[in-house]
Amino acid sequence: MTRLRPQSLQAKFLLGLGAIVFVLGAFFAASLYFHLNSLLETQVQEKADLVLAQVDAVQSYVREKLRPRMYELLDDEFVLEAMSSSYVSRAVMDRLNVHAAEYHYRRVAQNARNPRSEVNGQETEILEYFRDNPDVPFWSGRRRIDGQVHYVKARPVVYASSCLHCHGRPQDSPPELLERYGTERGFGHLSGAVDGIVLVGVPVERAVAKIREATVGYVGLYVAGVLLFFTLIQFFFNRLVVHNLKRLTGKFRTLFHDQAELTVLEKLGNEDEIDEIVQGMEELGDHLHSVQHQLRTHSDNLEQMVAERTRELKHEADERRADVRLFVQLLDGLNRSTSRRELWRFALPLVGRRFNALEAGFACMLTQTTYYAWPDQHSRPPMPEDWKSIMIHAEPCFEPDRAFIPVTSSDAEAEGLLVLVWPKGTLLKEQDRDVLRALGQQLGIAMENLTVLHNLLRQKDMLQAVFEGISDPLLLMDAGCGVVLANEAARELAATFDAADGAELAPLFGAGGVLENCPLSNALEQGRPEAREVRIADNRSFSINIYPVTMAEAEESQARVVVYIREVTQEKRMLASMQRSEKLATVGRLAAGLAHEINNPLGVIKCYAELLRGSIVDPEQLEDIRVILKHAGQAQNVLQELLNFARPKQAAPVRIDLGRTVEESAKVYQVQADKKGAQVEVEVPGPEDPALPRFTANPQHVEQILANLFSNALDAIPPQNGRIRVSVQPGPESGVVLRVADNGPGVPEGQLRRLFDPFFTTKEMGKGTGLGLAVVYGLVVEMGGRIEVDNQDGAVFTIFFPADHAPHPQPGKGTQ
């Protein structure tokens, strides 16, 4: 007998499977390559759009905010670095090209004013494309720039009529522009002309190389997997297929014994296993054909029985499909329902139609008054006499032509009854009863879910209202210093807060990164609340309270903290002002007593010194007496300043023109400034300018304030090139602001808070008493104003005088 060759079938199977695996591998590799390229294209498009949006933002800010403000301040003088939108945007983006090399930005034009901004060959092609297609807003594609492939996105620059002021005719351009660039380049453009482009390039060569490497790696991994797969397939194919086929063909040989049958078996040995089975089945078919006639006589009776059973099974299958469709429709309706009324109005028609009921309804047994019905919505569903028993045992009741199904929740408590009414003589199958039981449970669970959802939404709305109603900033933050939730006050603070101003506040608003000694990390690690106070660059102070939120079995990355922020700037200023006022009052009382006790002995010393000078003729003794009188006089001057500090002279307040008072004081101190080679610059509105309001004050106090500030400025400025700037401007709330600035060394940061303390001075020993600024502070506070000091290329004193709400004096009447 010929030996079987199972390898033939195996070879065919493996060859066909290999072809399929190869095609699938090539398809998925190509799909991966093109998908990664698509993702890369999308990413670089977004980067290019972001850069173009940044350029638009810069140009819009220059045109709408900066340029009008500069014209207003400079009296129509043109400053290229601050008023040219093209210059500013190009300068900003040039810095982006330097510090972020993953971008390539060019704003170019034909006949550009700056030769570096002239279009090159590739850019000329793009410019011509926009001229040929004026309705196209953008162009994108790949170009090689500086030896690297970039994804390039460009848009046209259309010269508007407002651009022709600088790019039209040379005689219309600002003189500053002609002085810098001349009249040869950058002019002659027409309104509406497409003469330039804005181009943003993102390098993609390295990304494309990585995509190729990823694809090659995937192919290698795929090939290794295919080899392992083929090895396993060969093993299991031999075990499960070839071995069983051998058993089947062997069975054929045991069944066939005739000579003709043996001849057929010899032919089978020359084919593979499948061919052997096919031929064996053909032989078996011939054998079965012989008994077909005998079976046909028996099949005639069976056909009728099978047809009847088939109709029954088909009807049952239709009912089951209807049940499945009913549950699917109910599930869809439950997802869209927001109340019990909507749920039952959607579900009752579906249930009634599915079970061919005349009426369907639901009666809530908890309220006794709530019911829903179909098709008549105003007809209350009929209730059985033993409805209480049905509700207690949660078992359905099936009566002739009626069914009462308890609608139970997840804890098996019934909330109401689902009632169905059929025509008389209707029989309900057992399977339909089981479906109704399950339907009652599902509807009960749905009602329970709606109730829970409604309660959750109500609690959420209430908590949200409380959270948003808190007037101070309140945030919920994670362990990475990211904001999870913030109320309106926190969002308003974050919108105006520059993270660079306060290093410790930066992580509280998600500014990026966890700072060293981060208060959030400390609170989470220690597991207890933490409070600290932060002061930022603009002198605002914040009290920050951090409360860690304890969550059971939460991972470290899911930890949360509640951050409560309260600005305490005004409180600290008020406290400092109260402390300084209290200190001044104490020093004033001490100074008054001290001056009174010392002034009398000094008067006696001077009196006897004068008597001695009149009776002594020795020159040496007269010189000694002159020294005594000189130092006694200096002591009396100090005592007089102490008395002025403790009890300043009182005078009737009058309405003051602060600008005129400043000009008069400046003239007095101009002589001392000329001796030091210094300049005194006064900036005050005209006498008829209504923008500068007048206010009521003691004129001697105002003059004393100016005298002390002028004196300090003259002592601080350097010789020969000193400068004192005095300005008067309208202040907030109809008040007046006086500002005195010098170009001296300024005040050390550590001494700013003590500058207004009595007897504190930054001058050399013997050149100051330390009472001048203390007197100024006391007089300003007495007027109801405030004084601030800062360093801006020297010391700057700013005094805010309060608004004068008193009526103006009538002509011919003096002020009181």
Side-chain angles (χ1 to χ4, degrees):
M1 181 176 293
T2 306
R3 183 176 61 86
L4 292 175
R5 295 179 297 172
Q7 293 83 2
S8 176
L9 175 62
Q10 184 176 3
K12 292 178 181 180
F13 174 76
L14 293 178
L15 183 61
L17 185 61
I20 294 174
V21 170
F22 175 77
V23 172
L24 289 177
F27 172 75
F28 285 121
S31 299
L32 175 63
Y33 179 79
F34 288 113
H35 176 65
L36 293 178
N37 268 288
S38 176
L39 291 179
L40 175 62
E41 193 81 10
T42 302
Q43 184 177 11
V44 297
Q45 282 183 359
E46 291 176 352
K47 287 184 177 180
D49 291 339
L50 180 61
V51 174
L52 290 175
Q54 180 179 351
V55 172
D56 290 341
V58 172
Q59 291 187 340
S60 176
Y61 176 78
V62 171
R63 287 193 299 266
E64 299 176 5
K65 297 291 184 181
L66 189 56
R67 184 187 298 167
R69 183 58 178 167
M70 292 294 290
Y71 272 130
E72 180 182 345
L73 294 176
L74 300 179
D75 194 15
D76 292 336
E77 181 182 349
F78 186 83
V79 179
L80 178 64
E81 290 80 356
M83 302 170 67
S84 173
S85 59
S86 300
Y87 185 94
V88 173
S89 63
R90 186 178 294 110
V92 171
M93 299 312 297
D94 284 346
R95 285 166 172 77
L96 178 63
N97 286 337
V98 173
H99 299 291
E102 58 182 87
Y103 296 100
H104 174 80
Y105 172 82
R106 288 266 293 165
R107 181 182 179 92
V108 296
Q110 283 187 343
N111 188 23
R113 178 169 288 113
N114 192 334
R116 292 186 303 173
S117 302
E118 188 68 26
V119 294
N120 56 30
Q122 292 184 355
E123 296 164 348
T124 302
E125 295 178 4
I126 300 174
L127 179 59
E128 292 299 331
Y129 170 79
F130 284 121
R131 287 175 173 173
D132 296 337
N133 302 273
D135 295 332
V136 177
F138 292 98
W139 177 91
S140 60
R142 294 191 181 183
R143 288 286 187 272
R144 183 169 292 276
I145 301 174
D146 297 333
Q148 274 196 338
V149 178
H150 286 66
Y151 169 82
V152 177
K153 188 165 187 179
R155 66 181 185 190
V157 175
V158 181
Y159 283 82
S161 57
S162 59
C163 302
L164 300 186
H165 178 62
C166 296
H167 298 278
R169 299 185 305 171
Q171 55 269 30
D172 296 334
S173 300
E176 294 83 1
L177 197 62
L178 297 177
E179 181 179 351
R180 173 173 290 195
Y181 292 105
T183 60
E184 297 298 328
R185 300 182 59 87
F187 299 102
H189 296 282
L190 301 178
S191 177
V194 180
D195 287 344
I197 59 172
V198 177
L199 180 144
V200 175
V202 181
V204 297
E205 187 168 346
R206 286 185 295 176
V208 172
K210 290 183 180 179
I211 290 175
R212 293 196 186 100
E213 292 175 2
T215 305
V216 172
Y218 166 77
V219 171
L221 183 63
Y222 182 79
V223 170
V226 167
L227 293 177
L228 178 62
F229 175 71
F230 268 84
T231 302
L232 295 176
I233 288 294
Q234 182 177 4
F235 173 76
F236 286 106
F237 190 85
N238 285 329
R239 295 285 299 174
L240 301 177
V241 178
V242 176
H243 179 70
N244 291 328
L245 290 177
K246 286 181 180 180
R247 291 177 55 193
L248 183 58
T249 55
K251 188 65 175 179
F252 285 155
R253 289 183 174 84
T254 60
L255 293 176
F256 298 147
H257 302 286
D258 296 339
Q259 185 62 34
E261 295 171 347
L262 293 175
T263 303
V264 173
L265 290 177
E266 292 178 357
K267 295 179 180 179
L268 292 178
N270 299 324
E271 305 292 339
D272 62 25
E273 294 85 349
I274 298 298
D275 292 336
E276 291 180 6
I277 294 174
V278 171
Q279 292 189 18
M281 293 301 295
E282 290 177 351
E283 296 296 332
L284 181 61
D286 293 338
H287 179 72
L288 292 176
H289 182 69
S290 64
V291 297
Q292 183 179 8
H293 180 69
Q294 298 176 9
L295 295 175
R296 187 173 298 169
T297 56
H298 299 283
S299 65
D300 293 338
N301 295 330
L302 292 175
E303 286 181 359
Q304 184 176 1
M305 297 174 60
V306 170
E308 182 65 27
R309 181 59 181 165
T310 300
R311 284 192 297 271
E312 293 177 359
L313 292 177
K314 183 177 181 301
H315 179 69
E316 184 175 351
D318 292 340
E319 289 181 345
R320 300 289 78 77
R321 282 194 294 270
D323 293 336
V324 173
R325 187 164 52 251
L326 171 64
F327 278 93
V328 171
Q329 292 175 341
L330 286 176
L331 181 61
D332 180 64
L334 296 179
N335 292 333
R336 292 183 295 174
S337 299
T338 58
S339 64
R340 294 192 174 192
R341 180 182 298 275
E342 292 183 9
L343 170 65
W344 286 110
R345 286 186 176 179
F346 177 81
L348 288 177
L350 295 178
V351 176
R353 295 189 186 99
R354 161 62 186 87
F355 295 99
N356 300 319
L358 294 177
E359 298 178 11
F362 170 77
C364 180
M365 296 293 100
L366 300 178
T367 61
Q368 300 291 328
T369 58
T370 302
Y371 64 89
Y372 308 97
W374 174 85
D376 185 3
Q377 299 182 0
H378 303 288
S379 175
R380 184 179 180 85
M383 290 289 103
E385 295 181 357
D386 57 342
W387 65 269
K388 293 183 179 180
S389 176
I390 297 174
M391 294 287 294
I392 293 174
H393 297 93
E395 288 293 333
C397 175
F398 298 98
E399 297 180 355
D401 309 329
R402 294 193 305 178
F404 303 96
I405 314 299
V407 178
T408 58
S409 58
S410 58
D411 54 0
E413 292 185 1
E415 296 190 14
L417 292 179
L418 173 64
V419 182
L420 296 176
V421 179
W422 289 276
K424 292 184 179 181
T426 301
L427 297 178
L428 195 63
K429 298 179 182 179
E430 187 63 30
Q431 291 181 343
D432 291 338
R433 295 186 178 187
D434 294 339
V435 172
L436 288 173
R437 289 189 182 94
L439 187 62
Q441 294 176 356
Q442 293 300 320
L443 290 173
I445 294 174
M447 292 176 60
E448 183 181 15
N449 291 339
L450 285 175
T451 301
V452 172
L453 178 61
H454 177 72
N455 292 334
L456 287 177
L457 291 176
R458 185 176 59 183
Q459 294 293 332
K460 175 182 176 296
D461 293 339
M462 182 176 65
L463 292 177
Q464 185 70 22
V466 173
F467 186 73
E468 293 293 343
I470 298 175
S471 59
D472 291 325
L474 188 65
L475 306 96
L476 179 65
M477 307 186 70
D478 56 24
C481 295
V483 178
V484 178
L485 190 63
N487 66 354
E488 182 64 24
R491 291 192 294 270
E492 292 178 357
L493 179 61
T496 58
F497 180 74
D498 183 0
D501 289 343
E504 296 195 55
L505 282 178
L508 301 183
F509 295 95
V514 179
L515 299 180
E516 183 178 356
N517 195 25
C518 176
L520 303 186
S521 302
N522 295 340
L524 289 173
E525 291 175 0
Q526 299 174 4
R528 62 174 182 266
E530 182 170 334
R532 64 173 53 192
E533 190 172 289
V534 176
R535 184 181 181 186
I536 59 178
D538 61 357
N539 292 325
R540 287 190 297 169
S541 299
F542 294 89
S543 173
I544 304 175
N545 294 273
I546 303 171
Y547 306 93
V549 179
T550 303
M551 296 187 294
E553 299 180 359
E555 298 181 0
E556 183 178 353
S557 60
Q558 297 176 342
R560 299 289 187 267
V561 294
V562 175
V563 181
Y564 173 70
I565 304 174
R566 184 169 62 89
E567 185 172 358
V568 295
T569 306
Q570 295 299 329
E571 296 179 9
K572 294 180 69 63
R573 288 180 178 175
M574 185 179 298
L575 179 60
S577 178
M578 292 175 60
Q579 292 174 346
R580 189 177 289 112
S581 298
E582 184 177 354
K583 185 186 298 183
L584 290 176
T586 302
V587 173
R589 290 192 294 270
L590 175 62
L594 184 63
H596 183 270
E597 295 296 331
I598 296 178
N599 197 35
N600 290 335
L602 283 176
V604 173
I605 291 172
K606 288 187 69 177
C607 179
Y608 279 94
E610 291 289 346
L611 292 175
L612 287 174
R613 185 170 61 179
S615 61
I616 294 176
V617 295
D618 186 2
E620 293 184 359
Q621 294 180 354
L622 289 175
E623 180 63 22
D624 293 338
I625 293 174
R626 188 188 64 80
V627 172
I628 294 173
L629 291 172
K630 174 184 176 182
H631 288 283
Q634 291 179 352
Q636 281 188 329
N637 291 335
V638 172
L639 291 175
Q640 187 60 44
E641 289 186 4
L642 285 173
L643 289 174
N644 292 337
F645 172 74
R647 295 190 300 271
K649 296 179 180 179
Q650 300 295 325
V654 297
R655 296 185 61 82
I656 294 177
D657 183 351
L658 185 58
R660 182 177 178 182
T661 304
V662 168
E663 289 178 340
E664 293 176 351
S665 298
K667 291 178 181 179
V668 172
Y669 285 91
Q670 182 64 53
V671 178
Q672 299 182 32
D674 292 340
K675 292 181 179 179
K676 295 192 67 173
Q679 297 179 358
V680 178
E681 301 175 1
V682 179
E683 298 180 7
V684 296
E688 303 300 330
D689 190 350
L692 184 64
R694 299 189 179 187
F695 63 99
T696 302
N698 189 325
Q700 295 181 1
H701 290 177
V702 176
E703 292 174 358
Q704 188 174 2
I705 291 172
L706 289 171
N708 284 320
L709 294 180
F710 270 115
S711 177
N712 284 341
L714 286 171
D715 291 339
I717 59 176
Q720 303 307 323
N721 59 350
R723 186 174 66 254
I724 301 174
R725 298 187 306 273
V726 185
S727 63
V728 178
Q729 299 175 353
E733 300 180 358
S734 301
V736 182
V737 176
L738 170 65
R739 184 172 286 106
V740 180
D742 60 63
N743 62 341
V747 183
E749 292 293 333
Q751 299 178 1
L752 284 175
R753 295 187 178 181
R754 300 181 55 199
L755 197 60
F756 297 106
D757 291 350
F759 305 109
F760 176 80
T761 179
T762 59
K763 300 178 184 179
E764 298 178 2
M765 183 67 68
K767 291 188 177 182
T769 62
L771 293 174
L773 291 179
V775 171
V776 170
Y777 179 83
L779 294 176
V780 171
V781 172
E782 184 180 349
M783 295 180 187
R786 73 178 191 275
I787 181 170
E788 298 178 357
V789 60
D790 197 3
N791 289 317
Q792 297 178 6
D793 297 329
V796 179
F797 291 86
T798 305
I799 301 177
F800 299 87
F801 291 105
D804 182 13
H805 301 290
H808 293 276
Q810 298 297 327
K813 295 182 180 181
T815 56
Q816 299 298 322

